Amino acid sequence: MNFLSTIKEFNSFFWGYLLIFLLCGTGIFFTIRLKFVQITKFKDAFKHTFGNLTLNGDKAGKDGMSSFQSLATAIAAQVGTGNLAGAATAIVMGGPGAIFWMWLSAFFGMSTIFAEATLAQKYKTVKDGEVTGGPAYYIKAAFKGTLGKILAGAFAVFIILALGFMGNMVQSNSIGVAFENALGINPIVIGVLVAILAAFIFFGGREKIASTTEKLVPIMAAFYIIGSIIILIMNYSEIIPAFRSIFVGAFSPEAVSGGLVGITISQAIRYGIARGLFSNEAGMGSTPHAHAIAKVKHPCEQGVTAMMGVFITFIILTLTALVILTSGVYDGTTTGIVLTQNAFVATFGSFGNMFIAICLLFFSFSTIIGWYFFGEINIKYLFGDKATKFYSIIVLILIIVGSSLKVDLVWELADTFNGFMVIPNLLALLALNSVVVKLLKDYEDKQKDELL
């Protein structure tokens, strides 16, 4: 057995079983511990996110970003190719019922991401004159001494490799392939253009990152949502059957008309939850870097705002699934982004390919920005501010290389290190659960005092 096969087999078990148990278990634990915070504080989340929505917020700087800018940066990282290909893969591998389990993972993930963002705010610090934070900092708070340093350092290394380097190759490759399919453009040309745009943002610092994401994220989300809704209106007669196939398929996959023979409930659960968790990133330790530097009065304010990031990915994943199921292209063989592309082509004609290419450009480019930023914070944590220039150059080179060179081993290793990030992050979340509970109680007490 070669190294690639070994890594694939390891990832199948690691992501397919172990991480599902750990991530879902943590989500259920915090849902109960925080008394269903995703329901009780959903109104707060909506208010904090959209109450003062602007595409030109406060100028970000060394003292941090506005709450919405932090959320936009987090969503930029969350909404990537996984939201276009993830739902398709879940449907093919686990049947339409996998979408139900994807919804369930998002529900529990909202409580996990509340804990992550709240702790990131609680343990943020000032380093080299600027506000910073993330899992590395609250991991050290959770585990004192050598153990804390080792776990925090390991997390920092894993996220730099998984997102900053390998992950950004994955994203640039998705953009290159999409434009090659839609317009016949050489992927390397697209890679160079993406790298030039990325360099402009990278070297502009967090101010440029914040101003870009706060504009790009609402526009790209609206573009995709409107396009998906148009398809659903055109295929309105298939909406109810699509929902029926999701709910019936969740508990009896083979009872779904046209469903694949051999798909079991366990497969529906496994692929639905796995793709859902991979797409919304709750519990993985990536988005807390953005939430840590939000300028808010109380840590839980950013905690409730962070929940809206998972909710927005839930909306996009659901729309993708419904477009696939109502377009009549689900045949049980085509998978990934090709199935999503086919669904849009079935209704939009040849424009469907271009629509997906544009969406992938938006989604993948925004993810490149977010993942670069998360990696940069950890580069600074490990090596100091001076190392960021070398990091930027390496990422830009990998963006160009990744656009035209899809190496399966790199893709598999990205998944592996992505999974490795989860372990120290979840250990710290669980170790600090009482801190999250106390902060939530304090937040609720202050809310009551304001009403008096």
Side-chain angles (χ1 to χ4, degrees), residues 41-51 304-305 308 311:
K41 298 302 174 189
F42 186 79
K43 184 178 178 181
D44 274 10
F46 199 87
K47 178 182 175 183
H48 281 293
T49 304
F50 301 110
V304 297
T305 302
M308 193 54 61
F311 182 74

Side-chain angles (χ1 to χ4, degrees), residues 219-281:
I219 292 170
M220 74 179 193
F223 182 74
Y224 185 74
I225 289 170
I226 290 170
S228 299
I229 289 174
I230 289 172
I231 287 182
L232 293 180
I233 290 172
M234 294 173 74
N235 299 326
Y236 71 93
S237 62
E238 298 299 320
I239 293 176
I240 292 177
F243 274 107
R244 178 186 175 278
S245 69
I246 290 171
F247 286 106
V248 173
F251 303 98
S252 180
E254 291 188 23
V256 177
S257 177
L260 280 180
V261 176
I263 290 179
T264 63
I265 294 176
S266 64
Q267 284 176 292
I269 295 172
R270 173 188 168 185
Y271 287 103
I273 292 176
R275 297 326 303 177
L277 291 169
F278 192 79
S279 297
N280 63 49
E281 298 188 25

Side-chain angles (χ1 to χ4, degrees), residues 334-347:
T334 308
T335 188
I337 195 63
V338 176
L339 179 57
T340 306
Q341 234 165 354
N342 289 349
F344 279 87
V345 169
T347 307

Side-chain angles (χ1 to χ4, degrees), residues 67-318:
S67 180
F68 180 74
Q69 286 170 337
S70 292
L71 175 65
T73 304
I75 293 174
Q78 288 168 297
V79 181
T81 55
N83 294 88
L84 295 180
T89 302
I91 290 171
V92 172
M93 303 302 291
I99 301 305
F100 173 85
W101 301 106
M102 191 178 278
W103 292 340
L104 206 61
S105 73
F107 176 77
F108 290 122
M110 288 174 76
S111 67
T112 305
I113 212 162
F114 172 87
E116 286 183 297
T118 299
L119 288 173
Q121 273 286 318
K122 168 69 176 173
Y123 294 105
K124 66 182 179 182
T125 187
V126 177
K127 186 174 182 179
D128 296 326
E130 68 178 9
V131 174
T132 189
Y137 294 91
Y138 60 68
I139 288 170
K140 282 182 69 176
F143 305 103
K144 306 297 183 183
T146 304
L147 178 61
K149 290 179 181 178
I150 291 173
L151 289 175
F155 174 87
V157 171
F158 293 150
I159 194 169
I160 291 165
L161 292 173
L163 304 187
F165 294 158
M166 299 175 194
N168 279 333
M169 289 179 73
V170 172
Q171 298 299 328
S172 65
N173 184 265
S174 297
I175 299 173
V177 169
F179 274 89
E180 184 179 33
N181 291 340
L183 298 174
I185 301 174
N186 189 325
I188 199 74
V189 174
I190 299 297
V192 170
L193 292 174
V194 169
I196 291 170
L197 285 172
F200 176 70
I201 296 166
F202 293 173
F203 294 123
R206 65 170 60 178
E207 179 184 339
K208 181 62 68 176
I209 289 171
S211 64
T212 301
T213 57
E214 73 177 341
K215 296 176 181 64
L216 181 60
V217 167
I219 292 170
M220 74 179 193
F223 182 74
Y224 185 74
I225 289 170
I226 290 170
S228 299
I229 289 174
I230 289 172
I231 287 182
L232 293 180
I233 290 172
M234 294 173 74
N235 299 326
Y236 71 93
S237 62
E238 298 299 320
I239 293 176
I240 292 177
F243 274 107
R244 178 186 175 278
S245 69
I246 290 171
F247 286 106
V248 173
F251 303 98
S252 180
E254 291 188 23
V256 177
S257 177
L260 280 180
V261 176
I263 290 179
T264 63
I265 294 176
S266 64
Q267 284 176 292
I269 295 172
R270 173 188 168 185
Y271 287 103
I273 292 176
R275 297 326 303 177
L277 291 169
F278 192 79
S279 297
N280 63 49
E281 298 188 25
M284 290 174 61
S286 52
T287 59
H289 297 92
H291 296 302
I293 61 175
K295 294 181 281 189
V296 292
K297 295 177 181 177
H298 193 283
C300 288
E301 281 187 24
Q302 198 59 26
V304 297
T305 302
M307 293 195 300
M308 193 54 61
V310 174
F311 182 74
I312 289 170
T313 62
F314 157 82
I315 295 294
I316 292 173
L317 280 167
T318 300

Side-chain angles (χ1 to χ4, degrees), residues 1 33 37 48 56 65 93 182 244 265 301 330 347 351 362 396 400 432:
M1 184 181 291
R33 193 85 169 87
V37 66
H48 281 293
N56 191 25
M65 302 178 180
M93 303 302 291
R244 178 186 175 278
I265 294 176
E301 281 187 24
Y330 168 51
T347 307
F351 174 68
F362 278 136
L396 291 171
I400 296 171
L432 296 170

Side-chain angles (χ1 to χ4, degrees), residues 342-365:
N342 289 349
F344 279 87
V345 169
T347 307
F348 283 162
S350 58
F351 174 68
N353 271 326
M354 192 62 203
F355 180 84
I356 290 297
I358 293 170
C359 288
L360 269 174
L361 174 61
F362 278 136
F363 285 21
S364 297
F365 185 69

